[in-house]
Amino acid sequence: MSGKLMGAPSDFYAAAERRIWRFQLGLAILGTAGAGWLAGWRGAAGFAVGAAVSSVNFLWLKQAVDAVAEKATGAETRATRKKRKALVWKFVGRYLLIGAAAYGILKYTVWDIRALLAGLFLFVAAILAEICFELWNTSSSGSPSS
């Protein structure tokens, strides 16, 4: 295989990842504004916290998946091996972070828990937006976009 063919998938995934981050930012802004309009400042604060936790969750999940992919393909670097414990803690920590945020909001704040939960689904919505983007571009051009 040529280097050009080997580089294409990584370019595709890098472009998709950039779009997912942009979709997250756009949806976070729109969602926070919408939650503020529907539920006041408590809703906006809850959604914004949920969106922030969702973004950290996505980042930590991506780092863990990248490390597993490197290990599986034999491309694991010495730096990645050194970071393995931190990656495991981040992978587990994603759930602890979500639980702590939900508990903190329920117990100690007046923020809207429904808005927090909606914000937590931000990265899922961003991935669905990316899927729709790819389906639209593939159907209109016949090949995936980058």
Side-chain angles (χ1 to χ4, degrees):
M1 272 190 183
S2 72
K4 189 173 185 177
L5 288 175
M6 292 297 288
S10 72
D11 292 344
F12 170 79
Y13 291 124
E17 182 186 339
R18 282 190 305 273
R19 283 191 299 272
I20 289 170
W21 281 111
R22 289 182 194 138
F23 283 135
Q24 281 191 46
L25 179 62
L27 291 170
I29 291 168
L30 290 174
T32 300
W37 182 67
L38 291 172
W41 72 270
R42 292 179 175 121
F47 191 91
V49 169
V53 170
S54 179
S55 294
V56 170
N57 181 23
F58 178 70
L59 174 66
W60 288 355
L61 177 62
K62 183 205 169 304
Q63 289 172 345
V65 169
D66 286 347
V68 169
E70 286 177 9
K71 176 95 173 148
T73 60
E76 184 178 40
T77 64
R78 190 169 180 208
T80 304
R81 281 193 296 274
K82 285 184 174 183
K83 294 179 184 177
R84 193 176 296 155
K85 281 186 182 180
L87 289 171
V88 169
W89 278 109
K90 285 181 179 180
F91 190 77
V92 173
R94 297 171 332 115
Y95 299 106
L96 298 174
L97 180 65
I98 291 169
Y103 178 79
I105 285 180
L106 282 172
K107 186 80 173 167
Y108 299 109
T109 71
V110 292
W111 298 342
D112 191 335
I113 189 67
R114 293 169 300 177
L116 168 82
L117 293 174
L120 287 174
F121 285 102
L122 180 71
F123 94 82
V124 174
I127 290 171
L128 290 174
E130 171 60 18
I131 290 169
C132 292
F133 176 85
E134 286 301 332
L135 288 173
W136 178 265
N137 281 338
T138 302
S139 67
S140 61
S141 68
S143 65
S145 65
S146 54

